[in-house]
Amino acid sequence: LVALSRALVKAKRFDEAGPFLDKAAEKDDKNSDVFYVRGLIALGKKDLPGALENFQKKAELDPKSAINWMQLASVQSQMGDQKAALESYRRATEAAPNAAAIWVAYGQALTAANQLPEAEAAFDKALALEAANLEAKKAFLAQKMGELRAPDFTDAPPVEVEIALEGAEAGLDVAR
């Protein structure tokens, strides 16, 4: 029922999602995902107090949900509670310490709050994580490139070489 509600929310069919969440809550009133999706519905309806209430309940039931902490921080920020938003962003970094995007968001919030040394540390963490990701991506691509056969242009006329190079630049598989 919660998955169906998520799909309806994604399709912006907020009013249709509610009854399914009510049924899911009847079955399990501690299902934190019910509150998360209700928070998304409230956001979709521009009901910030409703979103805040539901994301806070989700945080109580599932304090390790980084995406919920990010949603909660966003709502708190939109409602003008920057102190609470910073705390929620911090909690998001604890829930997902290896997510560079969360560290970037935290750094941006710290910058907006004029907490520049803390912001710099958050951005440094994000850069360190992204550098690790970049190295992993490069290693993966190098492995994959080694599996592909490079095109052989030794006997090809110049026009075919140019066409093949243009295709390769456009992302087309020119190896035959």
Side-chain angles (χ1 to χ4, degrees):
L1 294 173
V2 174
L4 176 58
S5 296
R6 280 183 190 262
L8 290 168
V9 167
K10 189 173 182 176
K12 299 186 186 316
R13 294 166 55 185
F14 305 119
D15 292 331
E16 295 174 55
F20 292 107
L21 289 174
D22 293 342
K23 287 180 185 174
E26 286 173 16
K27 289 182 179 184
D28 179 6
D29 66 345
K30 300 289 186 209
N31 184 339
S32 65
D33 290 336
V34 168
F35 295 100
Y36 180 75
V37 177
R38 282 184 177 159
L40 294 177
I41 290 170
L43 271 182
K45 292 181 171 185
K46 311 236 185 288
D47 173 15
L48 293 179
L52 179 71
E53 179 183 340
N54 281 289
F55 292 139
Q56 285 175 330
K57 185 66 176 173
K58 164 76 174 178
E60 290 171 21
L61 295 171
D62 183 9
K64 294 185 178 185
S65 174
I67 188 69
N68 184 69
W69 286 114
M70 294 292 289
Q71 293 286 10
L72 182 56
S74 175
V75 170
Q76 291 164 326
S77 180
Q78 290 176 60
M79 293 180 76
D81 192 348
Q82 300 310 318
K83 185 177 179 181
L86 285 174
E87 176 60 17
S88 293
Y89 280 121
R90 186 190 65 72
R91 297 287 302 265
T93 65
E94 289 176 355
N98 295 323
I102 291 175
W103 286 99
V104 169
Y106 186 39
Q108 290 170 331
L110 288 164
T111 300
N114 204 29
Q115 296 182 25
L116 302 181
E118 295 88 349
E120 183 178 350
F123 289 130
D124 285 345
K125 178 73 174 174
L127 288 171
L129 289 168
E130 196 54 38
N133 277 344
L134 201 51
E135 289 305 312
K137 288 175 186 173
K138 285 199 286 192
F140 174 76
L141 288 174
Q143 176 197 8
K144 287 297 180 192
M145 292 305 288
E147 292 175 9
L148 298 176
R149 185 173 62 83
D152 181 11
F153 295 126
T154 52
D155 296 327
V159 173
E160 288 181 28
V161 171
E162 186 174 295
I163 291 170
L165 289 174
E166 288 174 4
E169 288 172 356
L172 302 175
D173 181 10
V174 295
R176 293 191 172 118

